[in-house]
C-alpha cells in the first residue's frame, strides 16, 4: 500500500497490516491493524507526525518518499513514544538529517532509551506550544496517560485535523485508510470498543481530561495512529460520543468481586461481600466473577476499569491458586495505583493466600483495605454476617 492524500498537502504514509492477529504479544487483533503516520506540508516546512514499527521500516520509508524527500522533513512529531510509533525512528533519522524531533518531556526520556542515541535532535514540547510550517501550524496539547505518561495531541487548526496518536484509535484494517471505505461497520465498531477497553478503559479519568481538550477544538478529521482516519459525517461523531459515554460509565463503575472456589466456601464469602457492597453503593454496583468461568480478556477489562475490586482465593499448598495469580498479572499497575482493593478467602490449614495477595496488591500500590478476611473451612452464619459487614465497610470507605 502506498501513500494516500487526505487533504491538500496532507498525506497518510503509514503501514496497513490486515493480517496481524496478535499485537504487542498480548492483544488479539481479529481485524488486523495499521501503523498510521502523516506528512503535513506547509509553504516553508514539512512535518512528519508519528513514525512506524521498526519491522516495516523499508516500506514505510518508501511511502514517505512518495510525497517528499525525507531530507526535507523539518519536524518529526511523536505524540507518544511506544515502539509501534517510534521503532523506526533510529533508521529514519539517517534519512532526515535536518529534522528536529518534537516530543513531550517524558517522551524525550523514553526516546533516548528506545534509540540508544545520545545526540537526538530533540525539542521538548510544553503545553500550548506550536510550530509554524508556513500557512499551517501545529498546536500541541499535553495529554498524559492517554495512554502513556508521554502522550500529547497535535492539532492542525487550518485543516481542522486532530492527530491524537492512540486516542480514538482501533485495531482495524479492511484494508483502507479512510473511514469512508469501511464496509463492515459492525466489525469496526466492535474493534473500536475492544481497543478502548484494553487501552483507555483503565484511564477513564484521563480520557475525560482528553475529551475536555478535544471538545474545545473544531475537528472534522481525526488522524489516529491505528485504524481508519475518521471524518465528520462518517465515524468521527460516533467515536467521540462513545468515548464520552464509556468514560462517564466507568467513572461510576462497578466493583467486581473475583474469586476461585474449590468447595464453594470462598464463593459464599464472595457473595456476602458483594451483597454488603451493593447495600451501601447501590443495587448493582458489586457483581461476582468466578474467575474460571471467564476469559482473561473479559476479566482484565473488568479489573482495570473498576472503581474498586475484591479478590478471593482459597489456600492450596500454602498459596493462592493459579487463576487468581493469573488475574493479578492482568492488573495495570499504573492505572490501578491507589485503587481500593479487598482480599478474602477460605482456607483449611494455614491460610497463606490472603496475606500473599494483600502483599502483592500493596506492591502494585493498590489501596488494600485492612488485612483481608480469612475463614477457616466452611463459613459459619457469623462468618457470613462478618463478610456482609466487611463489604459494607469497604464500600463506605471508598
Ligand atoms: Fe499504538 Fe500506545 O502505541
Amino acid at each position: 500500500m502506498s501513500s494516500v492524500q487526505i487533504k491538500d498537502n496532507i498525506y497518510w504514509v503509514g503501514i496497513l497490516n490486515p493480517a496481524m492477529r496478535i499485537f504487542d504479544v498480548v492483544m488479539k487483533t481479529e481485524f488486523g491493524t495499521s501503523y498510521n503516520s502523516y506528512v503535513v506540508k506547509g509553504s516553508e516546512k514539512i512535518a512528519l507526525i508519528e513514525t512506524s514499527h521498526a519491522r516495516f521500516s523499508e516500506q514505510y520509508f518508501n511511502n514517505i518518499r512518495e510525497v517528499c524527500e525525507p531530507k526535507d522533513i523539518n519536524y518529526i512529531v511523536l505524540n507518544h513514544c511506544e515502539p509501534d510509533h517510534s521503532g523506526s525512528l533510529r533508521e529514519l533519522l539517517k534519512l532526515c538529517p535536518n529534522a528536529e524531533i518534537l516530543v513531550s518531556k517524558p517522551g524525550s526520556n523514553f526516546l533516548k532509551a528506545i534509540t540508544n542515541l545520545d545526540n537526538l535532535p530533540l525539542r521538548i514540547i510544553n503545553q500550548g506550544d506550536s510550530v509554524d510550517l508556513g500557512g499551517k501550524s501545529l498546536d500541541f496539547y499535553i495529554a498524559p496517560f492517554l495512554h502513556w505518561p508521554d502522550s500529547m495531541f497535535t492539532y492542525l487548526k487550518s485543516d481542522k485535523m486532530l492527530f491524537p496518536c492512540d486516542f480514538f484509535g482501533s485495531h482495524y484494517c479492511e484494508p483502507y485508510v479512510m473511514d469512508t471505505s469501511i464496509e463492515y461497520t459492525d466489525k469496526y465498531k466492535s474493534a473500536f470498543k475492544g481497543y478502548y477497553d484494553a487501552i483507555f478503559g483503565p484511564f477513564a479519568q484521563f480520557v475525560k481530561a482528553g475529551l475536555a481538550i478535544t471538545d474545545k477544538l473544531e475537528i472534522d478529521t481525526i488522524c489516529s495512529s491505528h485504524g481508519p482516519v475518521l471524518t465528520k459525517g462518517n465515524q468521527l461523531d460516533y467515536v467521540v460520543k462513545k468515548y464520552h459515554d464509556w468514560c462517564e460509565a466507568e467513572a461510576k463503575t462497578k466493583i467486581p468481586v473475583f474469586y476461585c472456589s474449590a468447595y464453594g466456601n470462598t464463593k459464599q464469602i464472595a457473595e456476602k461481600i458483594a451483597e454488603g457492597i451493593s447495600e451501601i453503593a447501590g443495587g448493582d454496583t458489586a457483581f461476582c466473577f468466578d474467575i474460571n468461568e471467564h476469559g482473561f480478556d473479559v476479566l482484565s477489562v473488568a479489573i482495570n476499569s473498576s472503581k474498586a475490586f475484591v479478590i478471593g482465593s482459597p489456600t492450596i499448598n500454602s498459596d493462592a491458586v493459579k487463576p487468581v495469580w493469573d488475574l493479578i498479572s492482568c492488573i495495570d499497575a499504573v492505572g490501578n495505583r491507589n485503587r481500593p482493593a479487598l482480599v478474602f478467602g477460605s482456607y483449611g490449614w494455614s491460610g497463606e493466600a490472603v496475606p500473599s495477595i494483600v502483599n502483592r496488591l500493596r506492591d502494585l500500590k493498590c489501596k488494600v483495605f485492612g488485612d483481608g478476611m480469612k475463614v477457616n473451612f466452611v463459613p459459619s452464619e457469623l462468618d457470613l454476617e462478618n463478610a456482609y459487614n466487611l463489604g459494607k465497610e469497604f464500600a463506605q470507605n471508598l
Side-chain angles (χ1 to χ4, degrees):
M1 179 71 191
S2 52
S3 59
V4 172
Q5 181 165 7
I6 302 175
K7 292 193 182 188
D8 282 351
N9 291 314
I10 302 167
Y11 304 87
W12 176 94
V13 292
I15 296 292
L16 298 179
N17 189 349
M20 173 173 274
R21 289 295 175 266
I22 301 280
F23 184 86
D24 273 4
V25 187
V26 292
M27 194 172 173
K28 287 183 188 160
T29 48
E30 189 184 351
F31 309 109
T33 195
S34 57
Y35 300 91
N36 298 334
S37 171
Y38 305 91
V39 167
V40 179
K41 291 183 179 177
S43 58
E44 294 166 18
K45 297 200 167 170
I46 297 176
L48 176 70
I49 303 179
E50 320 300 0
T51 74
S52 181
H53 195 296
R55 192 185 307 146
F56 308 105
S57 293
E58 280 312 312
Q59 186 186 346
Y60 171 55
F61 299 157
N62 285 335
N63 286 353
I64 295 172
R65 287 186 187 104
E66 287 185 13
V67 301
C68 69
E69 284 299 324
K71 68 177 173 40
D72 294 335
I73 292 172
N74 303 93
Y75 302 116
I76 299 173
V77 178
L78 284 173
N79 287 311
H80 159 47
C81 297
E82 196 165 3
D84 54 324
H85 308 296
S86 63
S88 61
L89 181 66
R90 189 182 160 109
E91 289 305 307
L92 179 66
L93 287 171
K94 295 176 185 168
L95 308 177
C96 307
N98 303 311
E100 258 187 305
I101 302 167
L102 309 187
V103 68
S104 67
K105 177 79 176 120
S108 69
N109 294 328
F110 295 155
L111 281 187
K112 287 172 195 163
I114 287 168
T115 61
N116 287 318
L117 294 173
D118 293 329
N119 55 349
L120 287 170
L122 296 172
R123 187 196 294 192
I124 307 293
I125 293 296
N126 295 303
Q127 175 64 30
D129 285 355
S130 63
V131 296
D132 188 5
L133 305 178
K136 294 184 190 296
S137 65
L138 302 176
D139 301 332
F140 301 104
Y141 296 84
I142 302 297
F145 292 102
L146 294 173
H147 63 119
W148 269 23
D150 61 326
S151 303
M152 64 181 195
F153 299 159
T154 297
Y155 179 56
L156 181 59
K157 187 175 181 181
S158 54
D159 294 272
K160 301 179 186 171
M161 296 177 81
L162 179 72
F163 300 85
C165 200
D166 292 333
F167 206 56
F168 298 122
S170 60
H171 287 315
Y172 189 78
C173 185
E174 281 205 11
Y176 302 106
V177 169
M178 305 302 297
D179 63 353
T180 45
S181 301
I182 293 176
E183 186 150 349
Y184 303 101
T185 307
D186 289 350
K187 293 187 191 309
Y188 164 69
K189 288 180 176 176
S190 149
F192 177 71
K193 173 77 163 80
Y195 189 84
Y196 177 89
D197 287 343
I199 304 296
F200 292 105
F203 298 99
Q205 59 187 320
F206 295 99
V207 172
K208 278 186 155 186
L211 291 171
I213 296 169
T214 58
D215 284 350
K216 289 189 186 129
L217 304 175
E218 200 179 352
I219 299 168
D220 71 14
T221 309
I222 296 177
C223 298
S224 298
S225 57
H226 301 289
V229 169
L230 306 163
T231 57
K232 202 104 185 144
N234 286 285
Q235 299 303 321
L236 190 150
D237 292 327
Y238 173 83
V239 303
V240 172
K241 179 176 184 318
K242 286 298 171 188
Y243 264 43
H244 274 282
D245 291 348
W246 293 333
C247 79
E248 282 301 329
E250 279 159 10
K252 300 175 209 148
T253 81
K254 316 275 180 184
I255 303 174
V257 178
F258 303 98
Y259 67 89
C260 281
S261 191
Y263 298 106
N265 300 328
T266 300
K267 178 181 181 188
Q268 286 189 61
I269 306 167
E271 289 170 348
K272 281 294 167 189
I273 289 175
E275 269 181 45
I277 292 170
S278 290
E279 173 69 27
I280 298 298
D284 59 353
T285 305
F287 55 108
C288 290
F289 276 104
D290 181 338
I291 296 172
N292 283 323
E293 289 185 1
H294 299 273
F296 280 94
D297 47 351
V298 172
L299 296 168
S300 173
V301 169
I303 199 164
N304 287 316
S305 63
S306 67
K307 175 178 175 183
F309 62 83
V310 184
I311 297 184
S313 175
T315 297
I316 295 182
N317 291 336
S318 304
D319 199 359
V321 295
K322 183 175 182 301
V324 168
W325 289 124
D326 288 344
L327 172 63
I328 290 170
S329 75
C330 295
I331 292 175
D332 175 340
V334 177
N336 282 280
R337 186 175 281 257
N338 292 322
R339 182 140 317 164
L342 175 66
V343 181
F344 66 96
S346 161
Y347 68 98
W349 306 341
S350 44
E352 289 90 344
V354 168
S356 295
I357 297 169
V358 166
N359 288 339
R360 178 61 186 143
L361 294 181
R362 288 197 171 126
D363 286 346
L364 291 169
K365 310 288 186 235
C366 295
K367 203 165 89 186
V368 182
F369 188 70
D371 292 324
M373 178 181 191
K374 291 163 61 173
V375 172
N376 195 208
F377 283 111
V378 180
S380 65
E381 284 303 314
L382 179 60
D383 290 327
L384 293 175
E385 190 181 328
N386 288 341
Y388 176 74
N389 288 332
L390 181 64
K392 284 172 68 174
E393 233 182 299
F394 179 59
Q396 278 160 345
N397 277 276
L398 293 176

